[in-house]
mmCIF file of all heavy atoms in Angstrom:
data_model
loop_
_atom_site.group_PDB
_atom_site.id
_atom_site.type_symbol
_atom_site.label_atom_id
_atom_site.label_comp_id
_atom_site.label_asym_id
_atom_site.label_seq_id
_atom_site.Cartn_x
_atom_site.Cartn_y
_atom_site.Cartn_z
ATOM 1 N N LEU A 39 19.913 14.450 -25.650
ATOM 2 C CA LEU A 39 20.729 15.579 -26.080
ATOM 3 C C LEU A 39 22.213 15.300 -25.862
ATOM 4 O O LEU A 39 23.050 15.591 -26.733
ATOM 5 C CB LEU A 39 20.312 16.835 -25.318
ATOM 6 C CG LEU A 39 21.114 18.112 -25.622
ATOM 7 C CD1 LEU A 39 20.995 18.478 -27.110
ATOM 8 C CD2 LEU A 39 20.640 19.262 -24.736
ATOM 9 N N ILE A 40 22.526 14.741 -24.696
ATOM 10 C CA ILE A 40 23.917 14.408 -24.400
ATOM 11 C C ILE A 40 24.446 13.390 -25.403
ATOM 12 O O ILE A 40 25.587 13.472 -25.870
ATOM 13 C CB ILE A 40 24.056 13.875 -22.960
ATOM 14 C CG1 ILE A 40 23.791 15.013 -21.963
ATOM 15 C CG2 ILE A 40 25.438 13.270 -22.714
ATOM 16 C CD1 ILE A 40 23.688 14.564 -20.522
ATOM 17 N N GLY A 41 23.610 12.394 -25.741
ATOM 18 C CA GLY A 41 24.011 11.402 -26.734
ATOM 19 C C GLY A 41 24.282 12.035 -28.083
ATOM 20 O O GLY A 41 25.273 11.701 -28.760
ATOM 21 N N PHE A 42 23.430 12.977 -28.478
ATOM 22 C CA PHE A 42 23.610 13.674 -29.774
ATOM 23 C C PHE A 42 24.886 14.505 -29.776
ATOM 24 O O PHE A 42 25.677 14.460 -30.733
ATOM 25 C CB PHE A 42 22.404 14.566 -30.039
ATOM 26 C CG PHE A 42 22.541 15.396 -31.283
ATOM 27 C CD1 PHE A 42 22.361 14.835 -32.537
ATOM 28 C CD2 PHE A 42 22.870 16.747 -31.192
ATOM 29 C CE1 PHE A 42 22.504 15.601 -33.681
ATOM 30 C CE2 PHE A 42 23.016 17.514 -32.344
ATOM 31 C CZ PHE A 42 22.829 16.944 -33.582
ATOM 32 N N LEU A 43 25.096 15.250 -28.664
ATOM 33 C CA LEU A 43 26.286 16.092 -28.579
ATOM 34 C C LEU A 43 27.552 15.259 -28.535
ATOM 35 O O LEU A 43 28.594 15.651 -29.089
ATOM 36 C CB LEU A 43 26.201 16.987 -27.336
ATOM 37 C CG LEU A 43 25.100 18.052 -27.350
ATOM 38 C CD1 LEU A 43 25.055 18.803 -26.030
ATOM 39 C CD2 LEU A 43 25.312 19.027 -28.515
ATOM 40 N N ALA A 44 27.470 14.091 -27.880
ATOM 41 C CA ALA A 44 28.641 13.212 -27.811
ATOM 42 C C ALA A 44 29.047 12.749 -29.205
ATOM 43 O O ALA A 44 30.245 12.666 -29.532
ATOM 44 C CB ALA A 44 28.342 12.014 -26.919
ATOM 45 N N MET A 45 28.077 12.436 -30.033
ATOM 46 C CA MET A 45 28.394 11.991 -31.392
ATOM 47 C C MET A 45 28.818 13.158 -32.265
ATOM 48 O O MET A 45 29.620 13.007 -33.193
ATOM 49 C CB MET A 45 27.182 11.282 -32.009
ATOM 50 C CG MET A 45 26.869 9.945 -31.361
ATOM 51 S SD MET A 45 28.293 8.833 -31.282
ATOM 52 C CE MET A 45 28.602 8.552 -33.015
ATOM 53 N N SER A 46 28.296 14.350 -31.969
ATOM 54 C CA SER A 46 28.697 15.527 -32.747
ATOM 55 C C SER A 46 30.170 15.831 -32.534
ATOM 56 O O SER A 46 30.855 16.329 -33.436
ATOM 57 C CB SER A 46 27.856 16.740 -32.340
ATOM 58 O OG SER A 46 26.493 16.511 -32.634
ATOM 59 N N GLY A 47 30.669 15.530 -31.345
ATOM 60 C CA GLY A 47 32.077 15.768 -31.045
ATOM 61 C C GLY A 47 32.902 14.510 -31.135
ATOM 62 O O GLY A 47 33.950 14.399 -30.501
ATOM 63 N N ALA A 48 32.415 13.537 -31.880
ATOM 64 C CA ALA A 48 33.101 12.247 -31.990
ATOM 65 C C ALA A 48 34.406 12.386 -32.772
ATOM 66 O O ALA A 48 34.618 13.368 -33.488
ATOM 67 C CB ALA A 48 32.186 11.234 -32.679
ATOM 68 N N PRO A 49 35.271 11.413 -32.657
ATOM 69 C CA PRO A 49 36.543 11.436 -33.382
ATOM 70 C C PRO A 49 36.345 11.591 -34.892
ATOM 71 O O PRO A 49 35.265 11.327 -35.430
ATOM 72 C CB PRO A 49 37.159 10.071 -33.051
ATOM 73 C CG PRO A 49 36.529 9.689 -31.739
ATOM 74 C CD PRO A 49 35.134 10.221 -31.810
ATOM 75 N N ALA A 50 37.427 11.963 -35.531
ATOM 76 C CA ALA A 50 37.344 12.256 -36.973
ATOM 77 C C ALA A 50 36.932 11.065 -37.806
ATOM 78 O O ALA A 50 36.384 11.229 -38.910
ATOM 79 C CB ALA A 50 38.701 12.783 -37.456
ATOM 80 N N TRP A 51 37.138 9.859 -37.286
ATOM 81 C CA TRP A 51 36.805 8.677 -38.090
ATOM 82 C C TRP A 51 35.349 8.625 -38.501
ATOM 83 O O TRP A 51 34.991 8.054 -39.522
ATOM 84 C CB TRP A 51 37.184 7.381 -37.349
ATOM 85 C CG TRP A 51 36.454 7.171 -36.046
ATOM 86 C CD1 TRP A 51 36.895 7.478 -34.807
ATOM 87 C CD2 TRP A 51 35.158 6.591 -35.870
ATOM 88 N NE1 TRP A 51 35.970 7.144 -33.856
ATOM 89 C CE2 TRP A 51 34.898 6.590 -34.482
ATOM 90 C CE3 TRP A 51 34.198 6.070 -36.750
ATOM 91 C CZ2 TRP A 51 33.699 6.107 -33.948
ATOM 92 C CZ3 TRP A 51 33.002 5.588 -36.223
ATOM 93 C CH2 TRP A 51 32.764 5.606 -34.832
ATOM 94 N N LEU A 52 34.481 9.280 -37.679
ATOM 95 C CA LEU A 52 33.058 9.251 -37.997
ATOM 96 C C LEU A 52 32.774 9.972 -39.314
ATOM 97 O O LEU A 52 31.892 9.573 -40.076
ATOM 98 C CB LEU A 52 32.257 9.891 -36.864
ATOM 99 C CG LEU A 52 30.732 9.839 -37.006
ATOM 100 C CD1 LEU A 52 30.241 8.396 -37.020
ATOM 101 C CD2 LEU A 52 30.064 10.602 -35.862
ATOM 102 N N ALA A 53 33.561 11.025 -39.566
ATOM 103 C CA ALA A 53 33.314 11.814 -40.779
ATOM 104 C C ALA A 53 33.606 11.017 -42.046
ATOM 105 O O ALA A 53 33.092 11.331 -43.128
ATOM 106 C CB ALA A 53 34.176 13.077 -40.746
ATOM 107 N N PHE A 54 34.422 9.993 -41.916
ATOM 108 C CA PHE A 54 34.782 9.199 -43.086
ATOM 109 C C PHE A 54 33.825 8.027 -43.327
ATOM 110 O O PHE A 54 33.995 7.272 -44.290
ATOM 111 C CB PHE A 54 36.213 8.669 -42.933
ATOM 112 C CG PHE A 54 37.246 9.756 -42.925
ATOM 113 C CD1 PHE A 54 37.778 10.190 -41.729
ATOM 114 C CD2 PHE A 54 37.646 10.370 -44.110
ATOM 115 C CE1 PHE A 54 38.731 11.211 -41.710
ATOM 116 C CE2 PHE A 54 38.590 11.390 -44.090
ATOM 117 C CZ PHE A 54 39.131 11.817 -42.892
ATOM 118 N N GLN A 55 32.838 7.867 -42.469
ATOM 119 C CA GLN A 55 31.869 6.785 -42.632
ATOM 120 C C GLN A 55 30.800 7.187 -43.636
ATOM 121 O O GLN A 55 30.551 8.374 -43.874
ATOM 122 C CB GLN A 55 31.212 6.438 -41.284
ATOM 123 C CG GLN A 55 32.198 6.062 -40.186
ATOM 124 C CD GLN A 55 33.030 4.854 -40.538
ATOM 125 O OE1 GLN A 55 32.517 3.869 -41.096
ATOM 126 N NE2 GLN A 55 34.332 4.913 -40.248
ATOM 127 N N ALA A 56 30.165 6.202 -44.202
ATOM 128 C CA ALA A 56 29.058 6.471 -45.133
ATOM 129 C C ALA A 56 27.948 7.215 -44.411
ATOM 130 O O ALA A 56 27.783 7.096 -43.194
ATOM 131 C CB ALA A 56 28.540 5.155 -45.699
ATOM 132 N N GLY A 57 27.190 7.990 -45.169
ATOM 133 C CA GLY A 57 26.138 8.814 -44.562
ATOM 134 C C GLY A 57 25.159 8.033 -43.726
ATOM 135 O O GLY A 57 24.775 8.455 -42.626
ATOM 136 N N TYR A 58 24.716 6.891 -44.238
ATOM 137 C CA TYR A 58 23.727 6.111 -43.493
ATOM 138 C C TYR A 58 24.315 5.549 -42.208
ATOM 139 O O TYR A 58 23.609 5.392 -41.216
ATOM 140 C CB TYR A 58 23.148 4.993 -44.363
ATOM 141 C CG TYR A 58 24.100 3.848 -44.657
ATOM 142 C CD1 TYR A 58 24.152 2.727 -43.828
ATOM 143 C CD2 TYR A 58 24.941 3.890 -45.761
ATOM 144 C CE1 TYR A 58 25.020 1.688 -44.093
ATOM 145 C CE2 TYR A 58 25.808 2.855 -46.030
ATOM 146 C CZ TYR A 58 25.852 1.748 -45.194
ATOM 147 O OH TYR A 58 26.705 0.718 -45.454
ATOM 148 N N ILE A 59 25.630 5.254 -42.198
ATOM 149 C CA ILE A 59 26.279 4.747 -40.980
ATOM 150 C C ILE A 59 26.354 5.862 -39.936
ATOM 151 O O ILE A 59 26.095 5.644 -38.752
ATOM 152 C CB ILE A 59 27.686 4.197 -41.299
ATOM 153 C CG1 ILE A 59 27.564 2.957 -42.181
ATOM 154 C CG2 ILE A 59 28.436 3.871 -40.006
ATOM 155 C CD1 ILE A 59 28.894 2.351 -42.571
ATOM 156 N N ARG A 60 26.739 7.069 -40.403
ATOM 157 C CA ARG A 60 26.794 8.207 -39.470
ATOM 158 C C ARG A 60 25.426 8.455 -38.854
ATOM 159 O O ARG A 60 25.285 8.674 -37.651
ATOM 160 C CB ARG A 60 27.285 9.468 -40.193
ATOM 161 C CG ARG A 60 28.738 9.415 -40.630
ATOM 162 C CD ARG A 60 29.277 10.823 -40.878
ATOM 163 N NE ARG A 60 28.492 11.536 -41.874
ATOM 164 C CZ ARG A 60 28.723 11.483 -43.187
ATOM 165 N NH1 ARG A 60 29.716 10.731 -43.650
ATOM 166 N NH2 ARG A 60 27.983 12.173 -44.020
ATOM 167 N N GLY A 61 24.411 8.409 -39.713
ATOM 168 C CA GLY A 61 23.050 8.632 -39.214
ATOM 169 C C GLY A 61 22.637 7.586 -38.203
ATOM 170 O O GLY A 61 22.043 7.898 -37.163
ATOM 171 N N PHE A 62 22.979 6.328 -38.507
ATOM 172 C CA PHE A 62 22.635 5.235 -37.592
ATOM 173 C C PHE A 62 23.318 5.406 -36.240
ATOM 174 O O PHE A 62 22.705 5.220 -35.186
ATOM 175 C CB PHE A 62 23.035 3.897 -38.213
ATOM 176 C CG PHE A 62 22.921 2.733 -37.271
ATOM 177 C CD1 PHE A 62 21.684 2.190 -36.961
ATOM 178 C CD2 PHE A 62 24.054 2.203 -36.666
ATOM 179 C CE1 PHE A 62 21.570 1.128 -36.064
ATOM 180 C CE2 PHE A 62 23.955 1.139 -35.779
ATOM 181 C CZ PHE A 62 22.708 0.599 -35.475
ATOM 182 N N LEU A 63 24.602 5.779 -36.257
ATOM 183 C CA LEU A 63 25.354 5.938 -35.009
ATOM 184 C C LEU A 63 24.812 7.097 -34.171
ATOM 185 O O LEU A 63 24.758 7.021 -32.940
ATOM 186 C CB LEU A 63 26.833 6.138 -35.316
ATOM 187 C CG LEU A 63 27.556 4.915 -35.887
ATOM 188 C CD1 LEU A 63 28.974 5.270 -36.306
ATOM 189 C CD2 LEU A 63 27.560 3.766 -34.876
ATOM 190 N N VAL A 64 24.416 8.159 -34.851
ATOM 191 C CA VAL A 64 23.838 9.304 -34.127
ATOM 192 C C VAL A 64 22.521 8.911 -33.471
ATOM 193 O O VAL A 64 22.266 9.200 -32.300
ATOM 194 C CB VAL A 64 23.636 10.505 -35.076
ATOM 195 C CG1 VAL A 64 22.808 11.588 -34.387
ATOM 196 C CG2 VAL A 64 24.983 11.074 -35.515
ATOM 197 N N VAL A 65 21.662 8.233 -34.239
ATOM 198 C CA VAL A 65 20.371 7.780 -33.700
ATOM 199 C C VAL A 65 20.583 6.825 -32.527
ATOM 200 O O VAL A 65 19.893 6.896 -31.502
ATOM 201 C CB VAL A 65 19.527 7.102 -34.798
ATOM 202 C CG1 VAL A 65 18.304 6.423 -34.193
ATOM 203 C CG2 VAL A 65 19.104 8.123 -35.841
ATOM 204 N N LEU A 66 21.568 5.944 -32.679
ATOM 205 C CA LEU A 66 21.866 4.985 -31.612
ATOM 206 C C LEU A 66 22.303 5.700 -30.340
ATOM 207 O O LEU A 66 21.877 5.352 -29.234
ATOM 208 C CB LEU A 66 22.964 4.021 -32.077
ATOM 209 C CG LEU A 66 23.351 2.904 -31.090
ATOM 210 C CD1 LEU A 66 22.156 1.991 -30.828
ATOM 211 C CD2 LEU A 66 24.533 2.099 -31.642
ATOM 212 N N ALA A 67 23.146 6.719 -30.484
ATOM 213 C CA ALA A 67 23.623 7.479 -29.323
ATOM 214 C C ALA A 67 22.475 8.236 -28.654
ATOM 215 O O ALA A 67 22.385 8.300 -27.419
ATOM 216 C CB ALA A 67 24.714 8.449 -29.751
ATOM 217 N N VAL A 68 21.600 8.800 -29.464
ATOM 218 C CA VAL A 68 20.445 9.528 -28.934
ATOM 219 C C VAL A 68 19.526 8.567 -28.160
ATOM 220 O O VAL A 68 19.074 8.867 -27.050
ATOM 221 C CB VAL A 68 19.666 10.223 -30.065
ATOM 222 C CG1 VAL A 68 18.322 10.746 -29.547
ATOM 223 C CG2 VAL A 68 20.492 11.363 -30.636
ATOM 224 N N PHE A 69 19.281 7.405 -28.759
ATOM 225 C CA PHE A 69 18.427 6.405 -28.114
ATOM 226 C C PHE A 69 19.045 5.917 -26.802
ATOM 227 O O PHE A 69 18.367 5.820 -25.776
ATOM 228 C CB PHE A 69 18.212 5.226 -29.058
ATOM 229 C CG PHE A 69 17.404 4.106 -28.455
ATOM 230 C CD1 PHE A 69 16.025 4.220 -28.323
ATOM 231 C CD2 PHE A 69 18.017 2.939 -28.018
ATOM 232 C CE1 PHE A 69 15.283 3.200 -27.756
ATOM 233 C CE2 PHE A 69 17.280 1.916 -27.450
ATOM 234 C CZ PHE A 69 15.909 2.046 -27.322
ATOM 235 N N ALA A 70 20.347 5.626 -26.841
ATOM 236 C CA ALA A 70 21.032 5.156 -25.632
ATOM 237 C C ALA A 70 20.986 6.208 -24.538
ATOM 238 O O ALA A 70 20.776 5.902 -23.353
ATOM 239 C CB ALA A 70 22.478 4.801 -25.966
ATOM 240 N N GLY A 71 21.170 7.469 -24.924
ATOM 241 C CA GLY A 71 21.115 8.552 -23.942
ATOM 242 C C GLY A 71 19.742 8.663 -23.295
ATOM 243 O O GLY A 71 19.625 8.877 -22.087
ATOM 244 N N ALA A 72 18.694 8.499 -24.116
ATOM 245 C CA ALA A 72 17.327 8.567 -23.600
ATOM 246 C C ALA A 72 17.053 7.417 -22.626
ATOM 247 O O ALA A 72 16.431 7.603 -21.575
ATOM 248 C CB ALA A 72 16.325 8.533 -24.739
ATOM 249 N N VAL A 73 17.540 6.223 -22.973
ATOM 250 C CA VAL A 73 17.351 5.056 -22.102
ATOM 251 C C VAL A 73 18.072 5.256 -20.773
ATOM 252 O O VAL A 73 17.511 4.991 -19.695
ATOM 253 C CB VAL A 73 17.859 3.775 -22.797
ATOM 254 C CG1 VAL A 73 17.894 2.609 -21.805
ATOM 255 C CG2 VAL A 73 16.973 3.435 -23.978
ATOM 256 N N ILE A 74 19.299 5.733 -20.842
ATOM 257 C CA ILE A 74 20.054 5.990 -19.615
ATOM 258 C C ILE A 74 19.359 7.054 -18.766
ATOM 259 O O ILE A 74 19.287 6.956 -17.536
ATOM 260 C CB ILE A 74 21.494 6.420 -19.955
ATOM 261 C CG1 ILE A 74 22.252 5.241 -20.581
ATOM 262 C CG2 ILE A 74 22.229 6.909 -18.707
ATOM 263 C CD1 ILE A 74 23.611 5.609 -21.134
ATOM 264 N N GLY A 75 18.815 8.074 -19.435
ATOM 265 C CA GLY A 75 18.075 9.122 -18.716
ATOM 266 C C GLY A 75 16.854 8.560 -18.003
ATOM 267 O O GLY A 75 16.568 8.922 -16.852
ATOM 268 N N ARG A 76 16.155 7.646 -18.668
ATOM 269 C CA ARG A 76 14.974 7.044 -18.055
ATOM 270 C C ARG A 76 15.368 6.180 -16.857
ATOM 271 O O ARG A 76 14.688 6.192 -15.826
ATOM 272 C CB ARG A 76 14.218 6.189 -19.075
ATOM 273 C CG ARG A 76 12.973 5.515 -18.492
ATOM 274 C CD ARG A 76 12.202 4.733 -19.537
ATOM 275 N NE ARG A 76 11.092 4.015 -18.946
ATOM 276 C CZ ARG A 76 9.919 4.538 -18.650
ATOM 277 N NH1 ARG A 76 9.702 5.820 -18.882
ATOM 278 N NH2 ARG A 76 8.951 3.815 -18.102
ATOM 279 N N LEU A 77 16.447 5.416 -16.998
ATOM 280 C CA LEU A 77 16.906 4.578 -15.893
ATOM 281 C C LEU A 77 17.297 5.422 -14.682
ATOM 282 O O LEU A 77 16.965 5.090 -13.543
ATOM 283 C CB LEU A 77 18.091 3.724 -16.345
ATOM 284 C CG LEU A 77 17.785 2.618 -17.356
ATOM 285 C CD1 LEU A 77 19.071 1.959 -17.839
ATOM 286 C CD2 LEU A 77 16.852 1.569 -16.739
ATOM 287 N N LEU A 78 18.001 6.513 -14.932
ATOM 288 C CA LEU A 78 18.398 7.404 -13.837
ATOM 289 C C LEU A 78 17.173 8.029 -13.187
ATOM 290 O O LEU A 78 17.091 8.131 -11.954
ATOM 291 C CB LEU A 78 19.329 8.497 -14.369
ATOM 292 C CG LEU A 78 19.846 9.516 -13.345
ATOM 293 C CD1 LEU A 78 20.583 8.814 -12.216
ATOM 294 C CD2 LEU A 78 20.754 10.550 -14.020
ATOM 295 N N SER A 79 16.208 8.413 -14.012
ATOM 296 C CA SER A 79 14.964 8.978 -13.486
ATOM 297 C C SER A 79 14.232 7.977 -12.607
ATOM 298 O O SER A 79 13.704 8.321 -11.551
ATOM 299 C CB SER A 79 14.058 9.411 -14.643
ATOM 300 O OG SER A 79 12.802 9.856 -14.171
ATOM 301 N N ALA A 80 14.219 6.699 -13.049
ATOM 302 C CA ALA A 80 13.543 5.651 -12.281
ATOM 303 C C ALA A 80 14.212 5.442 -10.927
ATOM 304 O O ALA A 80 13.537 5.261 -9.909
ATOM 305 C CB ALA A 80 13.537 4.348 -13.077
ATOM 306 N N VAL A 81 15.534 5.473 -10.908
ATOM 307 C CA VAL A 81 16.268 5.295 -9.656
ATOM 308 C C VAL A 81 15.942 6.430 -8.679
ATOM 309 O O VAL A 81 15.653 6.196 -7.493
ATOM 310 C CB VAL A 81 17.789 5.244 -9.913
ATOM 311 C CG1 VAL A 81 18.571 5.320 -8.605
ATOM 312 C CG2 VAL A 81 18.152 3.975 -10.665
ATOM 313 N N LEU A 82 15.975 7.662 -9.178
ATOM 314 C CA LEU A 82 15.686 8.811 -8.325
ATOM 315 C C LEU A 82 14.235 8.807 -7.851
ATOM 316 O O LEU A 82 13.950 9.139 -6.697
ATOM 317 C CB LEU A 82 15.992 10.112 -9.084
ATOM 318 C CG LEU A 82 17.472 10.347 -9.430
ATOM 319 C CD1 LEU A 82 17.623 11.605 -10.258
ATOM 320 C CD2 LEU A 82 18.298 10.451 -8.153
ATOM 321 N N ALA A 83 13.309 8.419 -8.746
ATOM 322 C CA ALA A 83 11.890 8.362 -8.383
ATOM 323 C C ALA A 83 11.650 7.315 -7.301
ATOM 324 O O ALA A 83 10.905 7.546 -6.342
ATOM 325 C CB ALA A 83 11.050 8.053 -9.618
ATOM 326 N N THR A 84 12.302 6.159 -7.451
ATOM 327 C CA THR A 84 12.155 5.082 -6.466
ATOM 328 C C THR A 84 12.650 5.530 -5.096
ATOM 329 O O THR A 84 12.006 5.274 -4.071
ATOM 330 C CB THR A 84 12.928 3.833 -6.915
ATOM 331 O OG1 THR A 84 12.394 3.390 -8.162
ATOM 332 C CG2 THR A 84 12.809 2.715 -5.892
#
Side-chain angles (χ1 to χ4, degrees):
L39 178 60
I40 291 171
F42 176 77
L43 293 176
M45 291 308 296
S46 297
W51 62 264
L52 184 62
F54 295 100
Q55 304 300 318
Y58 71 91
I59 294 179
R60 292 200 303 272
F62 171 76
L63 291 173
V64 170
V65 170
L66 183 62
V68 169
F69 177 76
V73 170
I74 293 172
R76 179 177 175 81
L77 291 173
L78 180 57
S79 175
V81 169
L82 294 176
T84 299

